[in-house]
Short mmCIF file of all heavy atoms in Angstrom, two decimals:
data_model
loop_
_atom_site.label_atom_id
_atom_site.label_comp_id
_atom_site.label_asym_id
_atom_site.label_seq_id
_atom_site.Cartn_x
_atom_site.Cartn_y
_atom_site.Cartn_z
N LEU A 130 4.55 -15.33 -6.41
CA LEU A 130 5.70 -14.44 -6.56
C LEU A 130 7.05 -15.13 -6.68
O LEU A 130 8.07 -14.46 -6.96
CB LEU A 130 5.78 -13.41 -5.43
CG LEU A 130 4.56 -12.41 -5.36
CD1 LEU A 130 4.57 -11.64 -4.07
CD2 LEU A 130 4.62 -11.43 -6.51
N LEU A 131 7.07 -16.42 -6.55
CA LEU A 131 8.31 -17.19 -6.69
C LEU A 131 8.45 -17.71 -8.12
O LEU A 131 9.52 -18.28 -8.47
CB LEU A 131 8.43 -18.28 -5.64
CG LEU A 131 8.38 -17.77 -4.15
CD1 LEU A 131 8.56 -18.95 -3.26
CD2 LEU A 131 9.44 -16.74 -3.95
N ASP A 132 7.34 -17.67 -8.90
CA ASP A 132 7.47 -18.11 -10.30
C ASP A 132 7.74 -16.88 -11.17
O ASP A 132 7.25 -15.80 -10.90
CB ASP A 132 6.09 -18.72 -10.75
CG ASP A 132 5.98 -20.15 -10.28
OD1 ASP A 132 7.03 -20.75 -9.85
OD2 ASP A 132 4.90 -20.75 -10.39
N PRO A 133 8.43 -17.13 -12.27
CA PRO A 133 8.75 -16.00 -13.28
C PRO A 133 7.52 -15.65 -14.07
O PRO A 133 7.47 -15.90 -15.30
CB PRO A 133 9.82 -16.61 -14.12
CG PRO A 133 9.65 -18.08 -13.99
CD PRO A 133 9.08 -18.39 -12.64
N GLU A 134 6.53 -15.03 -13.40
CA GLU A 134 5.35 -14.59 -14.11
C GLU A 134 5.54 -13.05 -14.37
O GLU A 134 6.56 -12.51 -14.10
CB GLU A 134 4.12 -14.84 -13.16
CG GLU A 134 4.18 -16.33 -12.65
CD GLU A 134 2.79 -16.89 -12.37
OE1 GLU A 134 1.88 -16.55 -13.06
OE2 GLU A 134 2.62 -17.61 -11.40
N PRO A 135 4.47 -12.42 -14.88
CA PRO A 135 4.64 -10.98 -15.09
C PRO A 135 4.99 -10.22 -13.86
O PRO A 135 5.70 -9.20 -13.95
CB PRO A 135 3.15 -10.64 -15.62
CG PRO A 135 2.67 -11.81 -16.25
CD PRO A 135 3.24 -12.91 -15.46
N VAL A 136 4.59 -10.70 -12.67
CA VAL A 136 5.04 -10.10 -11.42
C VAL A 136 5.65 -11.13 -10.52
O VAL A 136 5.02 -12.18 -10.24
CB VAL A 136 3.85 -9.44 -10.66
CG1 VAL A 136 4.20 -8.72 -9.44
CG2 VAL A 136 3.07 -8.49 -11.55
N PHE A 137 6.94 -10.92 -10.11
CA PHE A 137 7.56 -11.88 -9.22
C PHE A 137 8.69 -11.22 -8.49
O PHE A 137 9.22 -10.17 -8.87
CB PHE A 137 7.99 -13.09 -9.98
CG PHE A 137 9.12 -12.94 -10.93
CD1 PHE A 137 10.45 -13.25 -10.66
CD2 PHE A 137 8.85 -12.39 -12.22
CE1 PHE A 137 11.45 -13.09 -11.47
CE2 PHE A 137 9.84 -12.19 -13.13
CZ PHE A 137 11.14 -12.50 -12.78
N LEU A 138 9.16 -11.88 -7.43
CA LEU A 138 10.25 -11.44 -6.70
C LEU A 138 11.53 -11.99 -7.21
O LEU A 138 11.65 -13.13 -7.53
CB LEU A 138 10.14 -11.93 -5.15
CG LEU A 138 9.20 -11.12 -4.35
CD1 LEU A 138 8.84 -11.83 -3.02
CD2 LEU A 138 9.68 -9.70 -4.06
N GLY A 139 12.60 -11.09 -7.29
CA GLY A 139 13.91 -11.50 -7.77
C GLY A 139 14.95 -11.62 -6.58
O GLY A 139 14.52 -11.69 -5.43
N GLU A 140 16.19 -11.64 -6.94
CA GLU A 140 17.26 -11.78 -5.96
C GLU A 140 17.44 -10.55 -5.18
O GLU A 140 16.98 -9.47 -5.46
CB GLU A 140 18.52 -12.13 -6.72
CG GLU A 140 19.07 -10.95 -7.51
CD GLU A 140 19.84 -11.35 -8.76
OE1 GLU A 140 19.24 -11.75 -9.78
OE2 GLU A 140 21.04 -11.29 -8.74
N ARG A 141 18.26 -10.74 -4.12
CA ARG A 141 18.74 -9.61 -3.29
C ARG A 141 19.95 -8.95 -4.06
O ARG A 141 20.78 -9.64 -4.50
CB ARG A 141 19.20 -10.06 -1.93
CG ARG A 141 20.07 -9.07 -1.15
CD ARG A 141 20.30 -9.54 0.27
NE ARG A 141 19.04 -9.80 1.00
CZ ARG A 141 18.27 -8.85 1.43
NH1 ARG A 141 18.59 -7.53 1.23
NH2 ARG A 141 17.14 -9.17 2.00
N VAL A 142 19.86 -7.64 -4.16
CA VAL A 142 20.94 -6.94 -4.86
C VAL A 142 21.85 -6.08 -3.93
O VAL A 142 22.89 -5.66 -4.30
CB VAL A 142 20.41 -6.09 -6.05
CG1 VAL A 142 19.94 -6.95 -7.20
CG2 VAL A 142 19.36 -5.14 -5.56
N ASP A 143 21.31 -5.82 -2.81
CA ASP A 143 22.16 -5.20 -1.74
C ASP A 143 21.51 -5.34 -0.40
O ASP A 143 20.40 -5.85 -0.26
CB ASP A 143 22.36 -3.67 -2.03
CG ASP A 143 21.11 -2.85 -1.85
OD1 ASP A 143 20.08 -3.42 -1.68
OD2 ASP A 143 21.21 -1.64 -1.85
N ARG A 144 22.21 -5.00 0.61
CA ARG A 144 21.82 -5.12 2.01
C ARG A 144 21.93 -3.77 2.72
O ARG A 144 22.93 -3.56 3.37
CB ARG A 144 22.52 -6.24 2.78
CG ARG A 144 21.88 -6.64 4.08
CD ARG A 144 22.51 -7.91 4.69
NE ARG A 144 22.23 -9.07 3.91
CZ ARG A 144 21.08 -9.81 4.06
NH1 ARG A 144 20.11 -9.36 4.86
NH2 ARG A 144 20.89 -10.89 3.36
N PRO A 145 20.99 -2.89 2.44
CA PRO A 145 21.16 -1.49 2.97
C PRO A 145 20.97 -1.46 4.47
O PRO A 145 20.39 -2.37 5.05
CB PRO A 145 20.02 -0.73 2.29
CG PRO A 145 18.99 -1.73 1.96
CD PRO A 145 19.76 -3.07 1.74
N THR A 146 21.46 -0.41 5.05
CA THR A 146 21.18 -0.13 6.51
C THR A 146 19.69 0.15 6.56
O THR A 146 19.20 1.00 5.83
CB THR A 146 21.95 1.04 7.00
OG1 THR A 146 23.36 0.72 6.84
CG2 THR A 146 21.69 1.33 8.47
N LEU A 147 19.01 -0.52 7.47
CA LEU A 147 17.53 -0.30 7.66
C LEU A 147 17.20 0.69 8.80
O LEU A 147 17.85 0.70 9.80
CB LEU A 147 16.84 -1.65 7.84
CG LEU A 147 16.88 -2.67 6.76
CD1 LEU A 147 16.08 -3.89 7.07
CD2 LEU A 147 16.43 -2.05 5.50
N VAL A 148 16.19 1.49 8.46
CA VAL A 148 15.65 2.37 9.50
C VAL A 148 14.15 1.90 9.68
O VAL A 148 13.51 1.53 8.76
CB VAL A 148 15.67 3.78 9.11
CG1 VAL A 148 15.30 4.74 10.23
CG2 VAL A 148 17.08 4.15 8.58
N ALA A 149 13.66 1.99 10.99
CA ALA A 149 12.32 1.65 11.27
C ALA A 149 11.49 2.85 11.76
O ALA A 149 12.09 3.69 12.42
CB ALA A 149 12.30 0.49 12.33
N GLY A 150 10.23 2.90 11.52
CA GLY A 150 9.38 3.91 12.07
C GLY A 150 7.95 3.48 11.91
O GLY A 150 7.64 2.43 11.42
N PRO A 151 6.99 4.38 12.44
CA PRO A 151 5.59 4.04 12.35
C PRO A 151 5.11 3.96 10.87
O PRO A 151 5.62 4.59 9.99
CB PRO A 151 4.88 5.25 13.03
CG PRO A 151 5.93 5.85 13.81
CD PRO A 151 7.28 5.60 13.07
N ARG A 152 4.00 3.25 10.58
CA ARG A 152 3.49 3.08 9.32
C ARG A 152 2.69 4.32 8.82
O ARG A 152 2.17 5.06 9.68
CB ARG A 152 2.54 1.85 9.28
CG ARG A 152 3.35 0.58 9.52
CD ARG A 152 2.43 -0.66 9.68
NE ARG A 152 1.70 -0.60 10.96
CZ ARG A 152 0.96 -1.59 11.44
NH1 ARG A 152 0.84 -2.67 10.64
NH2 ARG A 152 0.35 -1.49 12.58
N VAL A 153 2.75 4.56 7.53
CA VAL A 153 2.17 5.76 6.94
C VAL A 153 0.62 5.63 6.88
O VAL A 153 0.10 4.61 6.40
CB VAL A 153 2.68 6.04 5.60
CG1 VAL A 153 1.98 7.22 4.94
CG2 VAL A 153 4.18 6.19 5.56
N GLY A 154 -0.08 6.61 7.38
CA GLY A 154 -1.49 6.72 7.07
C GLY A 154 -2.41 5.81 7.80
O GLY A 154 -3.62 5.80 7.54
N VAL A 155 -1.90 5.03 8.78
CA VAL A 155 -2.83 4.06 9.42
C VAL A 155 -3.42 4.78 10.70
O VAL A 155 -2.75 5.47 11.36
CB VAL A 155 -2.11 2.77 9.87
CG1 VAL A 155 -1.67 2.02 8.58
CG2 VAL A 155 -0.97 3.02 10.79
N ARG A 156 -4.66 4.48 10.95
CA ARG A 156 -5.36 5.08 12.15
C ARG A 156 -5.20 4.23 13.35
O ARG A 156 -4.96 4.74 14.48
CB ARG A 156 -6.88 5.21 11.82
CG ARG A 156 -7.64 5.78 12.88
CD ARG A 156 -8.73 6.60 12.31
NE ARG A 156 -9.83 6.81 13.35
CZ ARG A 156 -11.04 6.93 13.07
NH1 ARG A 156 -11.53 6.70 11.87
NH2 ARG A 156 -11.95 7.09 14.07
N ARG A 157 -5.26 2.89 13.20
CA ARG A 157 -5.16 2.04 14.40
C ARG A 157 -3.63 1.47 14.41
O ARG A 157 -3.07 1.24 13.39
CB ARG A 157 -6.19 0.88 14.29
CG ARG A 157 -7.57 1.45 14.20
CD ARG A 157 -8.60 0.49 14.66
NE ARG A 157 -8.94 -0.53 13.64
CZ ARG A 157 -9.72 -1.59 13.89
NH1 ARG A 157 -10.21 -1.77 15.13
NH2 ARG A 157 -10.03 -2.42 12.97
N ASN A 158 -3.18 1.19 15.59
CA ASN A 158 -1.79 0.86 15.82
C ASN A 158 -0.81 1.84 15.10
O ASN A 158 0.18 1.45 14.56
CB ASN A 158 -1.54 -0.55 15.23
CG ASN A 158 -1.70 -1.63 16.30
OD1 ASN A 158 -1.94 -1.31 17.48
ND2 ASN A 158 -1.52 -2.91 15.90
N ALA A 159 -1.16 3.09 15.25
CA ALA A 159 -0.47 4.17 14.52
C ALA A 159 0.99 4.36 15.04
O ALA A 159 1.78 5.00 14.30
CB ALA A 159 -1.19 5.43 14.57
N ASP A 160 1.32 3.86 16.18
CA ASP A 160 2.68 4.12 16.71
C ASP A 160 3.55 2.85 16.62
O ASP A 160 4.71 2.88 17.02
CB ASP A 160 2.52 4.53 18.21
CG ASP A 160 1.82 5.81 18.33
OD1 ASP A 160 2.14 6.80 17.57
OD2 ASP A 160 0.99 5.95 19.29
N VAL A 161 3.04 1.76 16.06
CA VAL A 161 3.82 0.55 15.94
C VAL A 161 4.89 0.75 14.86
O VAL A 161 4.45 1.05 13.70
CB VAL A 161 2.95 -0.66 15.59
CG1 VAL A 161 3.77 -1.88 15.33
CG2 VAL A 161 2.00 -0.96 16.80
N PRO A 162 6.19 0.58 15.11
CA PRO A 162 7.23 0.94 14.19
C PRO A 162 7.45 -0.21 13.18
O PRO A 162 8.54 -0.77 13.15
CB PRO A 162 8.44 1.17 15.07
CG PRO A 162 8.23 0.29 16.28
CD PRO A 162 6.73 0.18 16.41
N TRP A 163 6.52 -0.50 12.34
CA TRP A 163 6.70 -1.65 11.41
C TRP A 163 6.87 -1.21 9.91
O TRP A 163 6.55 -1.93 9.06
CB TRP A 163 5.44 -2.65 11.55
CG TRP A 163 5.48 -3.37 12.74
CD1 TRP A 163 6.47 -3.33 13.80
CD2 TRP A 163 4.60 -4.35 13.24
NE1 TRP A 163 6.19 -4.22 14.76
CE2 TRP A 163 5.00 -4.87 14.47
CE3 TRP A 163 3.36 -4.80 12.67
CZ2 TRP A 163 4.25 -5.83 15.23
CZ3 TRP A 163 2.63 -5.75 13.41
CH2 TRP A 163 3.09 -6.23 14.61
N ARG A 164 7.29 0.05 9.81
CA ARG A 164 7.69 0.48 8.49
C ARG A 164 9.25 0.46 8.43
O ARG A 164 9.92 0.91 9.35
CB ARG A 164 7.24 1.93 8.29
CG ARG A 164 7.72 2.61 6.97
CD ARG A 164 7.03 4.00 6.86
NE ARG A 164 7.55 4.79 5.72
CZ ARG A 164 8.22 5.90 5.88
NH1 ARG A 164 8.38 6.44 7.06
NH2 ARG A 164 8.68 6.60 4.82
N PHE A 165 9.74 -0.11 7.38
CA PHE A 165 11.19 -0.29 7.28
C PHE A 165 11.71 0.24 5.89
O PHE A 165 11.04 -0.01 4.93
CB PHE A 165 11.64 -1.80 7.41
CG PHE A 165 11.09 -2.47 8.61
CD1 PHE A 165 9.87 -3.17 8.63
CD2 PHE A 165 11.75 -2.24 9.83
CE1 PHE A 165 9.37 -3.73 9.77
CE2 PHE A 165 11.24 -2.82 11.00
CZ PHE A 165 10.08 -3.57 10.94
N TRP A 166 12.79 1.02 5.99
CA TRP A 166 13.32 1.57 4.65
C TRP A 166 14.79 1.67 4.68
O TRP A 166 15.50 1.59 5.74
CB TRP A 166 12.68 2.88 4.43
CG TRP A 166 13.06 4.03 5.41
CD1 TRP A 166 14.08 4.91 5.27
CD2 TRP A 166 12.44 4.33 6.64
NE1 TRP A 166 14.08 5.71 6.34
CE2 TRP A 166 13.13 5.47 7.23
CE3 TRP A 166 11.28 3.79 7.33
CZ2 TRP A 166 12.67 6.03 8.39
CZ3 TRP A 166 10.88 4.34 8.55
CH2 TRP A 166 11.59 5.41 9.06
N ALA A 167 15.39 1.80 3.42
CA ALA A 167 16.79 1.85 3.29
C ALA A 167 17.22 3.32 3.59
O ALA A 167 16.73 4.29 3.13
CB ALA A 167 17.14 1.56 1.86
N GLU A 168 18.22 3.42 4.59
CA GLU A 168 18.61 4.68 5.08
C GLU A 168 19.13 5.61 3.96
O GLU A 168 19.79 5.20 3.12
CB GLU A 168 19.81 4.45 6.08
CG GLU A 168 20.25 5.71 6.77
CD GLU A 168 21.32 5.40 7.86
OE1 GLU A 168 22.22 4.62 7.52
OE2 GLU A 168 21.18 5.91 9.01
N ASP A 169 18.63 6.90 4.10
CA ASP A 169 19.06 7.96 3.15
C ASP A 169 18.80 7.62 1.69
O ASP A 169 19.55 8.16 0.84
CB ASP A 169 20.56 8.28 3.35
CG ASP A 169 20.92 8.75 4.74
OD1 ASP A 169 20.06 9.54 5.25
OD2 ASP A 169 22.01 8.55 5.19
N ASP A 170 17.82 6.89 1.38
CA ASP A 170 17.48 6.55 0.00
C ASP A 170 16.42 7.61 -0.50
O ASP A 170 15.36 7.69 0.06
CB ASP A 170 16.96 5.17 -0.10
CG ASP A 170 16.93 4.62 -1.49
OD1 ASP A 170 16.26 5.26 -2.41
OD2 ASP A 170 17.70 3.59 -1.86
N PRO A 171 16.74 8.20 -1.67
CA PRO A 171 15.85 9.30 -2.17
C PRO A 171 14.57 8.73 -2.76
O PRO A 171 13.59 9.52 -3.01
CB PRO A 171 16.64 9.91 -3.29
CG PRO A 171 17.69 8.84 -3.68
CD PRO A 171 17.95 8.04 -2.40
N THR A 172 14.45 7.37 -2.89
CA THR A 172 13.24 6.85 -3.50
C THR A 172 12.16 6.47 -2.38
O THR A 172 11.09 6.09 -2.72
CB THR A 172 13.54 5.52 -4.21
OG1 THR A 172 13.98 4.56 -3.33
CG2 THR A 172 14.57 5.73 -5.34
N VAL A 173 12.55 6.69 -1.13
CA VAL A 173 11.63 6.37 -0.01
C VAL A 173 10.54 7.50 0.16
O VAL A 173 10.91 8.64 0.03
CB VAL A 173 12.48 6.19 1.30
CG1 VAL A 173 11.52 6.09 2.47
CG2 VAL A 173 13.28 5.00 1.17
N SER A 174 9.33 7.12 0.42
CA SER A 174 8.26 8.08 0.50
C SER A 174 8.31 8.84 1.80
O SER A 174 8.95 8.40 2.70
CB SER A 174 6.88 7.37 0.28
OG SER A 174 6.60 6.49 1.38
#
Side-chain angles (χ1 to χ4, degrees):
Chain A
L130 294 169
L131 300 184
D132 277 351
E134 311 207 36
V136 182
F137 68 101
L138 282 167
E140 70 209 74
R141 165 174 303 286
V142 290
D143 71 347
R144 191 170 292 277
T146 300
L147 294 185
V148 188
R152 294 171 291 186
V153 175
V155 297
R156 180 148 161 213
R157 304 204 279 173
N158 265 0
D160 297 314
V161 173
W163 287 358
R164 172 175 176 245
F165 305 98
W166 66 93
E168 186 175 44
D169 295 327
D170 194 301
T172 67
V173 173
S174 68

